[in-house]
Amino acid sequence: MRLRSGVFASSCLLVQALGVALFLRGFFPVPVRSLPRREARADPPAEPAPPGAGMVSNWTKIPPPLFKKVVVVLIDALRDDFVFGSKGKQFMPYTTQVVEKGTSYSFIAEAKPPTVTMPRIKALMTGSIPGFIDVVVNLNSPALLDDNLIWQAKTAGKRIIFYGDDTWVKLFPKHFVEYDGTTSFFVSDFTEVDDNVTRHLDRVLKREDWDLLILHYLGLDHIGHMTGPNSPLVGPKLREMDNIVKKIHISLLSKEEASLPNLLVVCGDHGMSETGSHGGSSEGEVRTPLLFISSAFEKRSGPLAQPEHVQQTDLASTLAIGLGLPISRNSVGNLILPVVGGKTMREQLRFVHLNGFQLSRLLQQNTLAYEKDPGYEHFKIAEKSHGNWIKLYLEGNNSEILLNLGKKVLKQYLEALKTLSSSLSKQVAQYDMYSMMVGTVIIMEVLLLLLLSVPKALSKRAEFEVPLSPPLFSLLFYLMCLLLCAVHVIVCTSAESLCYFCSMSWLTAVGVMMLISALMCGILSAIAKMFENSRPPPKNPTVSSSSWSEIDVLILAGTIGHVLSLGASSFIEEEHQTWYFLINTLCLVLCQELCRNYFLLKECDPQNSTNVKQNFDSIGETSEYKNIDIPAASNSKLGKATSSSEFVKGSDKWISVATPWIILICCRLLRSLNQTGVQWAHRPDFGHWLTRGITEARFVYVFVLGIVFTGTKDLLKSQVISTDSSMKSTGLWEVYSGLVLLAALLFRPHNLPVLLFCLLIQTMMTKYIWRPLKFDAAQITIMHYWFGQAFFYFQGNSNGIATVDVSAGFVGLDSYVEIPAIFLTAFATYAGPLLWAIHLLCYLSSEVSRNPAAVGHGCFCYALMRSIPVAIYVVLVTGLRYHLFIWSVFSPKLLYEGVHVFITAAVCLFFTAMDQNHSYRVQD
């Protein structure tokens, strides 16, 4: 079967996208859980049985609630230093006074990445650690079906009221007796989004028909997204939140009864980075304040110590005990002991025993050798000591021995809880290794097939025979299918944990096995043909010395160096530095190439130049696999010099030489526009100086659609009238113009210079570098790819989730619409690589002097450049899956790589659709 190189590359990338999707599904599995929620309300465990015959504890029920009413005030993106730092003292005086001198306990709660709202709400209410893939569904949160505090409270008859972020309403539908949800995606709204919550307060605080009130304020998060944590808008918003805390606290104190006190909890779901975003693992993003305020606590005296650090998941267990509810079955959190420190020793021991029993049961359901786990062993020791304490207590022993033993048992329980929680945090989410391995095999097979196909794919015809038909390999194909199906049956029948690939239908699984077998047969057939057709290279010293230029060496070294750097977490965090270095080096090499062609080679002997040119021409005619998509004279550096001297005249020569230096200056300015990465993200950059309204955005959408429609019309005409290449070129440039306009609309105002410099660099390189130096399509494609990657970081992106600008997905929209929001967010994030890829297609299509195969060459090289890093990275991340920074550094990068593969596959399909020459004419 004969295929054009563009069609072949697009097909390979689609198959690789399938492998990436399967790998991601295995790497980010649904976390292992306990029993379904409907089975979660079982009888609580009794107190440990005292040793000896005839002694039984009579406490077998859940302890009664410790608080009558509980109010949770969740301030989105509230960093710990906003309360405990200088900003807290300046803008939150009442809260600071309560923390330092009031009846309160204050902590710093550490959140696990990803630090985005929906996973953090899940962590707060379930006590579990949500999977990293929850970032993907954060924009449209489905109902939470796991056992959680809200469901337990509703089942127990508690009346819950909620006002704030409508993510809660989606996660807990039909759980609230009253609610008013506000959308969280209009980040330019700092005021109304909070006023819609506060307007209910006066009325609801006077009522007695509720037990749990939850308020989720979004204004501070929006300010952070738009202007950063050091904005002058942060102070007034913190003062507004302080007044709300004051109002609620005073109201709760005025309505307290002697029997049960009330509790006010103030917390954040996540913090914010120095740029105002969140999603990553920097200190500002993961550290949030956690305040418990109640008259049940002792009044503070003396200087305030540094707040103790707890886990965000600890809140679910603590609130469950405070409300007299069972602890959520999937919780890995520990009871925050100071909150119940005022209770009797028996009550405290009962609380920590319930927490330890729940954690040990979760461990049993997720670990085969749970009895050997240190946390489980410590819990059993503490439980035995607890039984001894119960015996002394029931015997009426009130001596100091009972008190000291109680403190010892409490310490043993706390140590067991900490160890159990640590073990579960590592085991609650398991890797689906089988799905990961199948995906990795597909990815690596595609990469190997692309590499083996390079000589034919970049030949004059840019088409070749796909070797799948020989009888020998047909037999091998069926044998491999049978072998893989047998392995699949063995793995799926012996798997002890849930496997996504095993849960697929047998028809789908067999189809994947056939695909793997076909790819392997193609690889083996390609290798066999290489050996059959191998012949010694022509003995020509001139050719051998000129076959690798400085550009070629740089491209190879840069590609290998970048791929190898992906194995280090520091290089991933600062990957933008790698791309900045590569494009700067590329500019210097281009400058050297220009100087050589304009000032050095022109002094060479013209007769020698002619002879060398003839040698290259003759070799180009006899070599089947030589990459030729430009006129024959350009096959040597001397040939390039000759054609360059004819093409560049007068001042254009000096402009051409100055072009690399101008590009270097532009790149240096762009680096200062957006500080990204981790090490230097806190440094100041250009501020935001413009906002944009919905109406204006819709006008731009109309213009974009009009331009794209006009370009698409010309492209369709060119497909029908195949001889009219100018119409196709015009249509492509119109589509490119429409995408540029769309990018200008979606970019943050301060990012508009990125777009300006992008267009400037593309124009200068086209006129003064690529055309004069006559680079082939492969070299130009790789240059486009490098600059596209650099501009991805020039936009302010990084390999952390925090830099994804979700506000771009809602430009011009009144409400959340899933498909447009996802498309706009993805386009805004990957605008740099996309614009450079489309510019590559426009440039190759408009160069009439090139071989018609140039577009196919470009498509193949672009697919290969994307396939190499993703294939190597999935192997690296599999080996590093237990690395300390796997969730904070390597996992976000894996998501970026996966999405980039899907986008590149779409780009290659567009390349293939525009490459309308089904049979290329060989140019001599």
Side-chain angles (χ1 to χ4, degrees):
M1 179 175 63
R2 299 191 67 82
L3 286 179
R4 290 176 292 150
S5 58
V7 175
F8 176 74
S10 301
S11 303
C12 285
L13 214 55
L14 286 175
V15 173
Q16 191 171 62
L18 171 65
V20 169
L22 191 57
F23 182 87
L24 291 176
R25 184 58 180 80
F27 193 84
F28 299 113
V30 177
V32 175
R33 299 301 190 192
S34 183
L35 295 174
R37 192 171 68 180
R38 62 180 179 272
E39 304 174 23
R41 289 190 65 85
D43 293 332
E47 280 185 312
M55 298 194 68
V56 179
S57 171
N58 57 0
W59 197 352
T60 58
K61 296 183 179 179
I62 292 289
L66 307 180
F67 306 100
K68 182 182 179 182
K69 292 182 182 295
V70 176
V71 179
V72 178
V73 179
L74 194 157
I75 304 173
D76 210 295
L78 184 66
R79 297 197 333 186
D80 64 316
D81 60 333
F82 286 175
V83 174
F84 303 127
S86 58
K87 282 188 173 69
K89 293 181 179 180
Q90 181 179 359
F91 301 112
M92 303 188 75
Y94 184 82
T95 304
T96 301
Q97 181 184 5
V98 172
V99 166
E100 293 180 349
K101 301 179 180 179
T103 55
S104 67
Y105 289 107
S106 54
F107 305 91
I108 294 177
E110 295 183 351
K112 299 290 185 184
T115 48
V116 292
T117 296
M118 190 270 286
R120 303 279 47 90
I121 294 176
K122 285 185 176 181
L124 288 167
M125 292 296 104
T126 66
S128 62
I129 301 176
F132 207 95
I133 202 64
D134 281 321
V135 174
V136 178
V137 297
N138 184 53
L139 296 178
N140 191 23
S141 311
L144 179 60
L145 301 179
D146 294 336
D147 185 19
N148 60 81
L149 181 74
I150 301 297
W151 179 80
Q152 291 281 7
K154 179 178 181 294
T155 305
K158 303 285 185 182
R159 295 157 296 180
I160 313 169
I161 295 178
F162 171 78
Y163 305 118
D165 186 353
D166 61 0
T167 301
W168 290 77
V169 181
K170 298 174 183 176
L171 286 174
F172 309 105
K174 301 180 181 179
H175 285 66
F176 306 118
V177 295
E178 182 180 319
Y179 65 87
D180 184 10
T182 58
T183 182
S184 60
F185 293 111
F186 292 107
V187 294
S188 58
D189 177 14
F190 308 151
T191 306
E192 291 185 12
V193 71
D194 286 343
D195 290 345
N196 286 334
V197 178
T198 307
R199 65 191 177 94
H200 298 284
L201 268 185
D202 291 332
R203 176 177 53 84
V204 78
L205 289 175
K206 295 176 183 178
R207 292 159 44 186
E208 297 291 336
D209 60 343
W210 57 271
D211 302 293
L212 176 60
L213 173 63
I214 302 174
L215 309 172
H216 188 152
Y217 285 92
L218 290 165
L220 182 64
D221 178 68
H222 291 185
I223 290 173
H225 278 296
M226 295 299 292
T227 60
N230 300 314
S231 164
L233 298 174
V234 170
K237 179 56 67 173
L238 292 177
R239 187 176 289 112
E240 177 188 344
M241 295 296 102
D242 187 58
N243 292 331
I244 290 168
V245 171
K246 180 179 180 180
K247 175 185 288 189
I248 296 173
H249 187 211
I250 293 175
S251 176
L252 291 178
L253 289 176
S254 66
K255 292 182 174 298
E256 275 192 357
E257 300 175 358
S259 57
L260 279 180
N262 298 322
L263 174 66
L264 171 61
V265 179
V266 180
C267 62
D269 55 345
H270 52 74
M272 66 173 71
S273 66
E274 290 302 319
T275 61
S277 298
H278 55 88
S281 58
S282 67
E283 185 176 287
E285 293 170 89
V286 301
R287 294 175 57 170
T288 63
L290 177 59
L291 310 179
F292 295 91
I293 305 171
S294 174
S295 60
F297 308 145
E298 293 183 2
K299 194 170 185 179
R300 286 189 169 275
S301 60
L304 178 66
Q306 181 68 20
E308 181 185 347
H309 286 242
V310 298
Q311 294 299 312
Q312 195 179 58
T313 51
D314 296 342
L315 180 64
S317 302
T318 306
L319 285 183
I321 295 295
L323 289 168
L325 302 171
I327 298 175
S328 301
R329 297 290 292 269
N330 301 318
S331 173
V332 298
N334 295 341
L335 172 67
I336 302 176
L337 193 62
V339 177
V340 299
K343 297 300 177 180
T344 65
M345 180 58 69
R346 187 183 185 188
E347 289 176 312
Q348 292 185 51
L349 291 177
R350 175 64 169 159
F351 297 149
V352 292
H353 175 253
L354 287 172
N355 195 183
F357 182 84
Q358 172 263 323
L359 290 173
S360 64
R361 183 169 55 181
L362 184 62
L363 183 72
Q364 293 177 38
Q365 294 168 348
N366 289 280
T367 307
L368 291 176
Y370 67 90
E371 293 178 343
K372 298 180 181 179
D373 186 89
Y376 186 83
E377 293 176 348
H378 291 163
F379 174 70
K380 285 302 178 182
I381 293 173
E383 199 173 37
K384 185 176 181 180
S385 301
H386 190 185
N388 294 329
W389 187 92
I390 294 292
K391 180 181 179 181
L392 292 176
Y393 178 83
L394 294 178
E395 290 176 348
N397 190 330
N398 293 321
S399 65
E400 192 172 342
I401 298 176
L402 184 68
L403 179 61
N404 291 336
L405 180 59
K407 291 181 179 178
K408 177 183 176 182
V409 175
L410 196 60
K411 185 177 180 181
Q412 289 177 336
Y413 268 130
L414 293 178
E415 182 181 354
L417 293 180
K418 184 177 180 180
T419 311
L420 282 168
S421 180
S422 177
S423 299
L424 285 166
S425 297
K426 299 174 183 177
Q427 298 177 19
V428 161
Q430 298 178 355
Y431 294 106
D432 180 359
M433 287 302 300
Y434 184 46
S435 300
M436 290 170 59
M437 294 306 298
V438 174
T440 302
V441 169
I442 295 175
I443 294 169
M444 296 304 297
E445 283 184 331
V446 169
L447 174 61
L448 190 55
L449 194 58
L450 285 171
L451 290 174
L452 292 173
S453 305
V454 168
K456 289 188 177 181
L458 298 183
S459 64
K460 290 181 180 181
R461 292 186 176 276
E463 62 181 17
F464 49 89
E465 187 75 25
V466 177
L468 287 178
S469 57
L472 175 62
F473 292 104
S474 296
L475 175 61
L476 178 61
F477 170 76
Y478 291 116
L479 289 176
M480 289 190 65
C481 282
L482 290 174
L483 177 62
L484 292 174
C485 288
V487 171
H488 182 71
V489 171
I490 294 172
V491 171
C492 294
T493 53
S494 62
E496 296 172 348
S497 59
L498 181 63
C499 173
Y500 174 72
F501 190 57
C502 291
S503 65
M504 290 181 174
S505 67
W506 275 100
L507 186 63
T508 304
V510 170
V512 173
M513 298 305 173
M514 293 176 66
L515 175 63
I516 294 175
S517 303
L519 290 172
M520 181 56 67
C521 289
I523 291 170
L524 295 176
S525 181
I527 293 174
K529 276 205 168 186
M530 286 180 61
F531 283 107
E532 290 175 5
N533 300 331
S534 61
R535 57 178 181 267
K539 297 181 179 180
N540 190 314
T542 307
V543 175
S544 60
S545 62
S546 303
S547 58
W548 284 85
S549 66
E550 289 88 346
I551 293 290
D552 297 327
V553 173
L554 173 62
I555 287 173
L556 180 61
T559 302
I560 294 175
H562 168 254
V563 169
L564 293 178
S565 72
L566 298 178
S569 60
S570 299
F571 277 93
I572 292 177
E573 290 177 333
E574 308 296 329
E575 188 183 356
H576 59 286
Q577 302 286 4
T578 302
W579 289 111
Y580 296 166
F581 172 79
L582 288 178
I583 62 171
N584 290 345
T585 308
L586 175 63
C587 288
L588 293 177
V589 173
L590 289 174
C591 182
Q592 177 193 7
E593 189 78 8
L594 289 166
C595 291
R596 177 190 291 119
N597 280 274
Y598 294 153
F599 303 113
L600 298 179
L601 296 183
K602 68 180 182 180
E603 299 176 359
C604 294
D605 183 10
Q607 182 65 34
N608 179 55
S609 173
T610 303
N611 293 336
V612 173
K613 173 181 175 298
Q614 291 174 349
N615 289 336
F616 268 84
D617 288 347
S618 61
I619 293 169
E621 293 172 0
T622 58
S623 174
E624 179 185 358
Y625 301 140
K626 182 69 179 174
N627 178 10
I628 299 180
D629 51 36
I630 53 178
S634 63
N635 285 334
S636 70
K637 293 181 180 178
L638 296 181
K640 284 185 180 180
T642 305
S643 60
S644 298
S645 62
E646 296 172 357
F647 184 86
V648 182
K649 297 179 181 179
S651 61
D652 282 354
K653 177 174 67 176
W654 297 103
I655 297 177
S656 183
V657 173
T659 294
W661 299 101
I662 296 174
I663 294 173
L664 282 173
I665 294 173
C666 294
C667 292
R668 185 61 189 88
L669 293 174
L670 288 171
R671 290 182 63 175
S672 302
L673 187 66
N674 290 298
Q675 301 292 348
T676 186
V678 174
Q679 297 295 327
W680 294 277
H682 62 282
R683 291 189 177 182
D685 48 32
F686 297 160
H688 311 300
W689 50 271
L690 183 64
T691 56
R692 190 176 288 116
I694 290 178
T695 305
E696 294 85 346
R698 288 177 176 173
F699 275 113
V700 177
Y701 282 146
V702 172
F703 285 115
V704 170
L705 290 175
I707 294 173
V708 173
F709 173 78
T710 304
T712 305
K713 180 187 66 176
D714 291 339
L715 290 176
L716 292 175
K717 283 184 178 180
S718 69
Q719 297 295 327
V720 176
I721 310 173
S722 58
T723 57
D724 194 355
S725 60
S726 62
M727 183 174 292
K728 182 178 76 170
S729 177
T730 302
L732 285 172
W733 285 113
E734 287 174 344
V735 170
Y736 176 74
S737 302
L739 294 179
V740 170
L741 187 57
L742 179 59
L745 171 66
L746 298 180
F747 274 14
R748 293 289 184 94
H750 75 279
N751 260 346
L752 292 177
V754 176
L755 198 59
L756 174 64
F757 282 121
C758 175
L759 299 176
L760 175 63
I761 292 173
Q762 288 173 348
T763 302
M764 296 192 72
M765 293 196 75
T766 299
K767 184 174 181 180
Y768 298 110
I769 294 181
W770 291 326
R771 285 175 180 165
L773 293 181
K774 301 290 184 182
F775 287 116
D776 60 38
Q779 293 171 320
I780 292 175
T781 299
I782 296 173
M783 291 184 202
H784 273 82
Y785 179 82
W786 280 18
F787 272 97
Q789 291 297 105
F791 271 83
F792 174 81
Y793 295 103
F794 284 147
Q795 292 176 230
N797 292 317
S798 70
N799 287 324
I801 303 298
T803 53
V804 176
D805 184 13
V806 296
S807 63
F810 305 92
V811 175
L813 302 180
D814 281 329
S815 60
Y816 175 73
V817 186
E818 186 171 6
I819 300 301
I822 292 175
F823 169 77
L824 294 174
T825 303
F827 180 83
T829 303
Y830 291 92
L834 277 171
L835 290 179
W836 279 89
I838 302 303
H839 182 271
L840 171 66
L841 176 60
C842 296
Y843 172 74
L844 293 179
S845 299
S846 60
E847 291 288 288
V848 294
S849 61
R850 290 186 178 272
N851 188 329
V855 175
H857 292 165
C859 180
F860 182 87
C861 290
Y862 203 81
L864 182 62
M865 290 301 295
R866 182 88 294 272
S867 178
I868 292 173
V870 74
I872 302 301
Y873 191 69
V874 295
V875 175
L876 290 173
V877 84
T878 302
L880 297 170
R881 63 188 181 277
Y882 296 115
H883 193 279
L884 178 63
F885 301 130
I886 186 63
W887 298 116
S888 58
V889 178
F890 292 99
S891 294
K893 171 64 175 175
L894 182 61
L895 285 177
Y896 275 108
E897 289 292 321
V899 175
H900 204 169
V901 168
F902 294 123
I903 291 177
T904 306
V907 169
C908 287
L909 286 175
F910 187 54
F911 267 71
T912 304
M914 295 301 102
D915 189 18
Q916 64 181 7
N917 299 285
H918 294 274
S919 59
Y920 298 126
R921 178 173 54 89
V922 179
Q923 293 184 348
D924 296 329

